[in-house]
Each structure stands twice: as structure tokens, then as C-alpha cells.
Amino acid sequence: MTEPILSVRGLTKRFRMHQIDTVLPTFDGISLDLAPGEFLLLKGRNGAGKSTLLRTLWRSYRPVAGQILYRARAGIIDLATAADIDVAHLRRTEIGFVTQFLTARPRVPAQDIVAEPLRLAGESAADARRAARHWLNEFGVREALWGAFPSTFSGGEQQKVNLARALIMPQRLLLLDEPTASLDAGARAALIRRLAELKAQGVAMIGVFHHPQDVEALIDREIDLTPDSPDTKAPDTKAPDTKERADVAL
Amino acid sequence: MTAALNIAGDATPLPLVPPQLVTTQPLLRMEGIRRRFGEVEALGGVDAAVYPGEVLGIVGESGSGKSSLLRMMNLEDTPDAGSYHLAIPDHAGRNLFDLDRYQRRMLCARRIGIVYQNPHLGLLMGNSSSGNVAERLLIAGERSFATLRDKARAALDASEFPLPRMDAPPAQLSGGMQQRVQLAKAIALEPTLLLLDEPTTGLDVSVQALVLDTLKRLQQERRITMVLVSHDLGVIRTMADRVMVMRRGLVVEQGLVDQVFQDPQHPYTQQLVHAKL
């Protein structure tokens, strides 16, 4: 069996709200393994913590306990406690997050928003723009809109720009938070094609989908986050060791 | 007054973990910075690290020590204790607070750019705008008039300042234009470090947005390492990669911008993030 790219162990998230002196529990003691090229569907009722889990893996949220052992190219690292600069580096190079909303900077043309991840990864402006146009076209954004500001677009068009940006770089791990919401049939088909292509290249994916039938053909495994479901208890494999690492320059 | 809030609480800030993957050293490293002004402890032992190409935002209320810290980075003030290192040629391994006034002035002219909230601090308001930019090049040793003018023009242009007005004194310019002159002066020598102290505070919202667009574009094109002080969370969110939250001379929290804004840990940061209108 291939080594997992991600091994989550005992992951727990609670939100402590000081002003009202309250602790909001979400998920508790989640464990799971994910192999390269595997597609894992997160299930569970509203509020079970599906999106919260994705954001915790992305480190927008800080877990209160547990490990998120990610097998980076340079070595294994625990994203639960990793330095911010390491997390920022992995977000630029290895881990992608596809959300249902575009949070684009205002006054930036669609094609530049889409090209930005490639620019940050060091590609030339011309190459990045060429790739951006390809993906805008692929997701069905009309050419007339490529130079316009997405803040003026409809929700569906914004989402297409968002997908083109999020999927322009081949990452090693993709977190998907309802990316099919508000898409028309053509864009949905383009998204599924792209995800299938990435999956075949070995990209591992964890996703939340309101309509899982959209991605049925891609799903390898499902886990239910509803408390007391047996799916998230510890896999019997041992968590990997984090010792060996290579150098990474910025 | 806001509702009483137990700020002290048990929320000790998370320790700053050293990176495990990234082996590039920080460009800027400050350790144990303390500064007392009379009875007030402006900085109570602050550590900071900024990596090459990164934008570090510093937020906090008035009197939190954020501007004092920025002045230290610009070598305008010397702390009672603490060290400051920049990973630049000739100065590696050296505590920059040990430099004398002349050395500081040369280092700042060549390596560090700063934009103040108040343009009077950064500019001679009666001199021409191009002259203000050229002054910095003069200090750094440039003597040819033609080169001075060319470089000043290029810096003003990069700051999106309207060139037909480059000889007008800042006193005759709008607030937004004055900030662009300061920015041109700051970037004229391609600084290693760009410091921004509330650069858009006090400007009209539309002007503020345009100045921020210019800053963002410059940062992306030139990968300038920036430290940005602001009390405006929107400005920090737009510009910064990481953010440090200061209160009463101490760093109470730091993290990636999205984490600090979406999942603030410290009671003060929670209050700050939820204080939006």
C-alpha cells in the first residue's frame, strides 16, 4: 500500500469565545488516512463540522488537540502546529483549497486573479496569463469578461473564476468545500473533468458536497462526521514519523 | 466604554514555532525589544521575524506599541534592551542598534524605505516632489543630476504619481498624492525592507483603495518585504500575509492573516475582529 499523504490523528476543534465565555464544540478526536490519488467525501448533518474540518486542515482554524501529519515533498510535517511560514509555503506549492465563494481583491481583472498562483510560484507573466485564459475558457467564462473585474460578475461567473484560480496549479492535496454550488451544467462538467484529471495524476482530495451525486464517479471513500459514527475512529496504521526532512528555500 | 472584558484571562499567546520546512532565514529578526518612556512601558519584550518577500501586518489600538516598534525597525530609536538583525550584505550577524548615527543614516538610506501616515514626517513640503525623491538618492551617494532626475522620475512613475506634476511641492498636492511621493522616495533605491506606518489612514476611501492597489502591485512585482502598521483590519487583510496583534507593548497573538481573522485565539483579538460595524 502507498504511504498516506495525510494522516489525521485525534483531531479536535472547539471555538472558545471569550466575550460570551462560551466554548463551541465541533468535532472531537477525528482520525483518518488519505492516500495519493484518493478522493474522500465528508458526510454528516449540518453543523457536524465538515467545513470546519477542511478549514482546520488548511489552518485557517487552529485545532485544540491532535495531529495533521502531511507528507510534504520535503518531509512530514504536522500542520496542527507547523510554523506559519511553512503553512504559507505549502499553500503556495502543494495544498489547494477550493471554496464556494470568490474572495477576489477588487479592481483586479479576472485573468490576473486566475494567473496569480502561477505568478507566485515563479512563472512568467506571459505564461501565467496564457494558462489563466485557458482555464477561464475551460470553465466557460466568456472572453469578454477576462479583462473585467469579477466583483461585477454574477455569482455563477464568480465561482467559475474562483475554480479556474484554485485549480490552475496542480497541487498534491486539494480541499474542496462545495465547489459545485451555484455552477451551471457546463461548468460543473468542466470541474469534474479537471478533478478527474488531477486525481489520475495522484492528487489527493477531501471534499464536502451538497449534492455528492455530482462527483459520484470520483468518490473512493466516504466518512460520516456525525458524532459517534465509527468512520472517524483511529485507523489501525501507525502515524508516520516526522523526522526526515529536506531543505526548502523561499 | 465597551463591556468589561477579561483580557488577561488564561490566553497566553501561542509560542512562535521555528519553521521545519522553509530553510530560508528571516530577513528581519528582532529579539527582546524593550522600551520605556517614563512611566510607560511602550514595548515590553517583543520578538519579530519577517521572511524575504513577506508582508507582515501589525495591528493594535493606539498606544499598543506598534508604531514604536516600526520606528525601531527604521533605527529612529534605540530600545532599552533587545537586538535587531537584517540579513543583508555587510551587516549579517550585527546588532543594528550598535551602529552610530552616521552608519544608521547610510543603512536606512540604502536599505530601508518608510512611508509615514503624516507626510510632514517624510517629506519637505515646500521642495519639489522630484527633489524630495532625489534627496534620498543624494544621501546614498548619487551625484549626477541627470541620473538623479531619471531615477526620481522612474520611482514616481512606479508609484503611479502623475509625472506632469513631479516638480510641484507636496504642499500643493492632495493627501493621496503626498503618500505617492513618500512611496516613491521609499522605493527609489529598491529597499530591502519597506516600512509602512498607517500609510492610508486619513485618506478618502476611494483614494485609500487606489494607494493600496499601488502598494499591492509593487509588492507582487518586486517581492518587496514589507512591515505594515495599521489599526484598519481591512487594510491588513488586503495587504498582509501574516499578522501580529499588539496590546500594551506586547504581542498577544500572531498568525496567518486568515487564521487570525477567522479563528482569533486571544480575547483581545476576538474583540478586535468582532468590532466591525
Side-chain angles (χ1 to χ4, degrees):
Chain A
M1 190 196 143
T2 47
E3 300 272 19
I5 189 167
L6 188 73
S7 298
V8 174
R9 291 292 180 277
L11 195 65
T12 302
K13 178 60 187 162
R14 292 187 286 270
F15 291 93
R16 170 132 197 239
M17 291 141 87
H18 294 275
Q19 207 154 0
I20 49 175
D21 204 8
T22 302
V23 174
L24 271 183
T26 53
F27 51 80
D28 198 335
I30 287 183
S31 296
L32 58 89
D33 279 342
L34 184 70
E38 195 177 15
F39 189 110
L40 177 64
L41 178 75
L42 297 180
K43 292 193 309 182
R45 55 171 164 73
N46 286 346
K50 304 184 291 290
S51 293
T52 304
L53 175 57
L54 292 181
R55 286 180 198 168
T56 308
L57 299 176
W58 182 244
R59 252 282 286 276
S60 283
Y61 294 163
R62 277 193 170 267
V64 297
Q67 291 178 297
I68 306 167
L69 299 169
Y70 171 71
R71 188 177 297 275
R73 288 192 187 93
I76 293 171
I77 184 165
D78 183 359
L79 298 176
T81 54
D84 296 319
I85 192 81
D86 282 338
V87 176
H89 169 74
L90 290 173
R91 287 179 180 183
R92 273 198 307 275
T93 54
E94 300 195 16
I95 306 178
F97 193 10
V98 189
T99 60
Q100 47 185 319
F101 304 109
L102 177 72
T103 44
R105 276 202 328 280
R107 299 171 303 281
V108 181
Q111 59 189 2
D112 292 351
I113 288 173
V114 175
E116 193 175 76
L118 291 175
R119 296 281 286 130
L120 291 176
E123 281 207 30
S124 76
D127 286 349
R129 179 164 288 193
R130 201 170 308 119
R133 290 167 167 235
H134 169 78
W135 287 109
L136 283 167
N137 187 49
E138 200 72 5
F139 284 110
V141 180
R142 298 194 313 280
E143 190 172 348
L145 296 179
W146 296 355
F149 304 149
S151 42
T152 60
F153 295 3
S154 72
E157 298 301 305
Q158 287 194 5
Q159 178 59 355
K160 293 175 190 175
V161 174
N162 189 27
L163 291 176
R165 176 189 162 94
L167 297 172
I168 194 167
M169 280 244 299
Q171 308 278 19
R172 299 176 71 232
L173 171 64
L174 271 183
L175 311 171
L176 306 161
D177 193 359
E178 304 221 19
T180 49
S182 77
L183 286 184
D184 56 36
R188 195 176 307 137
L191 171 66
I192 290 158
R193 266 201 312 278
R194 177 63 170 158
L195 292 180
E197 177 185 80
L198 292 170
K199 185 176 186 302
Q201 291 169 15
V203 179
M205 303 181 193
I206 302 187
V208 179
F209 290 83
H210 199 64
H211 298 292
Q213 59 272 26
D214 289 346
V215 288
E216 207 156 14
L218 300 176
I219 300 170
D220 294 310
R221 209 148 48 90
E222 303 182 355
I223 64 168
D224 193 334
L225 287 191
T226 310
D228 302 322
S229 123
D231 292 352
T232 59
K233 294 310 154 219
D236 42 18
T237 51
K238 199 172 136 288
D241 198 351
T242 59
K243 296 246 164 55
E244 278 172 47
R245 281 190 203 93
D247 287 0
V248 175
L250 282 174
Chain B
M1 284 295 289
T2 49
L5 174 66
N6 179 14
I7 294 281
D10 52 0
T12 43
L14 290 159
L16 191 57
V17 217
Q20 298 175 344
L21 296 178
V22 171
T23 44
T24 305
Q25 291 302 305
L27 171 74
L28 176 155
R29 204 155 41 81
M30 277 187 153
E31 273 159 19
I33 305 291
R34 292 183 174 276
R35 182 72 166 112
R36 180 174 279 283
F37 297 109
E39 288 299 295
V40 182
E41 185 154 59
L43 295 167
V46 173
D47 297 341
V50 189
Y51 287 83
E54 194 184 30
V55 180
L56 176 72
I58 307 180
V59 290
E61 61 203 357
S62 307
S64 61
K66 56 192 195 309
S67 288
S68 297
L69 188 66
L70 200 79
R71 300 290 159 87
M72 297 280 177
M73 292 177 178
N74 199 38
L75 291 170
E76 288 171 48
D77 190 16
T78 303
D80 303 324
S83 65
Y84 177 18
H85 296 273
L86 286 180
I88 52 176
D90 307 333
H91 290 86
R94 190 166 193 188
N95 182 359
L96 300 181
F97 293 129
D98 293 339
L99 299 179
D100 65 31
R101 269 185 65 184
Y102 173 75
Q103 291 170 316
R104 286 184 183 205
R105 191 169 147 90
M106 293 315 288
L107 175 67
C108 288
R110 294 208 173 105
R111 295 290 187 175
I112 304 175
I114 187 161
V115 175
Y116 298 96
Q117 176 184 357
N118 181 348
H120 289 86
L121 288 175
L123 300 174
L124 294 165
M125 300 304 277
N127 291 13
S128 73
S129 295
S130 53
N132 268 286
V133 180
E135 185 211 346
R136 177 169 185 111
L137 301 161
L138 269 169
I139 295 172
E142 183 56 62
R143 286 292 175 269
S144 142
F145 179 78
T147 312
L148 282 172
R149 193 156 169 87
D150 284 352
K151 284 196 174 173
R153 180 198 297 273
L156 284 163
D157 196 29
S159 306
E160 290 162 26
F161 181 90
L163 291 182
R165 304 208 60 194
M166 69 185 269
D167 293 322
Q172 293 175 11
L173 300 171
S174 67
M177 286 304 145
Q178 290 171 351
Q179 294 311 69
R180 290 183 189 280
V181 178
Q182 278 206 81
L183 183 59
K185 182 176 171 181
I187 63 164
L189 278 167
E190 307 259 330
T192 310
L193 178 65
L194 180 58
L195 306 173
L196 304 155
D197 190 4
E198 304 270 6
T200 58
T201 303
L203 300 177
D204 289 343
V205 180
S206 60
V207 177
Q208 171 175 10
L210 295 175
V211 172
L212 287 175
D213 284 354
T214 304
L215 277 173
K216 190 81 195 177
R217 183 182 57 71
L218 280 170
Q219 205 279 328
Q220 292 200 330
E221 283 174 10
R222 305 185 180 194
R223 307 301 301 153
I224 307 177
T225 310
M226 295 185 183
V227 180
L228 166 65
V229 162
S230 182
H231 68 270
D232 185 333
L233 298 186
V235 170
I236 297 287
R237 196 193 298 266
T238 310
M239 292 295 303
D241 302 308
R242 282 192 306 125
V243 61
M244 234 163 70
V245 183
M246 291 190 67
R247 186 161 194 274
R248 295 182 185 160
L250 293 172
V251 177
V252 295
E253 176 163 0
Q254 56 184 311
L256 295 160
V257 163
D258 56 307
Q259 183 256 297
V260 171
F261 285 174
Q262 290 178 37
D263 186 18
Q265 309 287 313
H266 190 274
Y268 174 66
T269 317
Q270 293 190 353
Q271 190 188 35
L272 201 66
V273 168
H274 296 140
K276 278 188 302 216
L277 291 179

